[in-house]
Amino acid sequence: VSQSRYNIENVLIYLRKSRGDEADVLEKHRVRLTEYAENKNWRYTIKEEDVVSGERLSTRPVMLEILDILEQKNCIYDGVLVAHYDRLSRGNSKDFGTIIEVFQYANKYVITPDRVYDTNNTHDLAMLGIQGVFANTELRTIVSRFVDGKKDTCN
């Protein structure tokens, strides 16, 4: 889908470092996303969370702040720019639903360097749902390996 069909001028850039990420991942994502926004002539504001699991929305105060910002009537942002969709959520379907519900209500876009997702478009919503299932499965695998590794070191 061509990104030029969307009227995007102002975005929130959301950066989140997970436990398993390399030390410099936030800087890499910051550079990639700010350059991307600048190339598109978008204004942007950066919001950043450090070493936070994507598993639970309730433990991510910056993401909760972003959702609050998007819901405001006078919100100036057209969407949220992330390096990968799973930076928004890798958690359960309840958290995915909460995030998508806010984006739909506010009529905002989920934006990655690869694609703009319109959460009020059935096809885009289906794609986000599929990616959400894969992201959650990946998270469960990582958690399982982490737990198994801890068990191995305790024996």
Side-chain angles (χ1 to χ4, degrees):
V1 178
S2 168
Q3 292 189 10
S4 62
R5 75 179 191 146
Y6 301 101
N7 186 22
I8 298 171
E9 296 177 2
N10 212 340
V11 297
L12 281 168
I13 293 177
Y14 178 61
L15 303 169
R16 178 176 62 83
K17 182 179 184 304
S18 297
R19 273 178 257 138
D21 289 341
E22 309 109 40
D24 64 345
V25 73
L26 282 180
E27 187 56 30
K28 287 179 181 177
H29 286 179
R30 181 182 293 103
V31 169
R32 180 178 182 212
L33 296 177
T34 56
E35 285 178 356
Y36 182 81
E38 288 166 5
N39 286 337
K40 296 283 189 180
N41 293 317
W42 294 344
R43 291 180 303 281
Y44 58 86
T45 301
I46 297 174
K47 297 288 186 177
E48 181 176 318
E49 286 190 295
D50 191 31
V51 191
V52 177
S53 168
E55 190 171 1
R56 294 273 178 253
L57 186 56
S58 60
T59 62
R60 298 167 52 208
V62 174
M63 188 65 214
L64 292 172
E65 176 191 356
I66 287 172
L67 295 177
D68 285 343
I69 290 169
L70 295 179
E71 286 184 309
Q72 293 173 9
K73 266 190 174 172
N74 60 349
C75 177
I76 62 168
Y77 301 103
D78 302 305
V80 178
L81 177 59
V82 289
H84 305 283
Y85 163 73
D86 66 3
R87 293 286 119 174
L88 290 180
S89 177
R90 292 175 95 175
N92 61 33
S93 58
K94 180 181 174 189
D95 286 349
F96 172 78
T98 298
I99 291 167
I100 293 302
E101 189 175 83
V102 169
F103 275 79
Q104 287 176 322
Y105 168 79
N107 200 28
K108 305 300 180 185
Y109 301 114
V110 174
I111 308 163
T112 70
D114 298 322
R115 181 171 177 164
V116 174
Y117 297 91
D118 178 352
T119 56
N120 288 304
N121 176 289
T122 303
H123 299 290
D124 287 357
L125 189 57
M127 184 62 71
L128 286 170
I130 291 166
Q131 289 179 343
V133 168
F134 282 119
N136 185 262
T137 301
E138 180 182 35
L139 174 66
R140 299 279 169 235
T141 301
I142 291 167
V143 168
S144 175
R145 288 180 183 151
F146 179 73
V147 169
D148 289 346
K150 281 191 141 229
K151 287 179 189 173
D152 290 346
T153 60
C154 293
N155 294 329

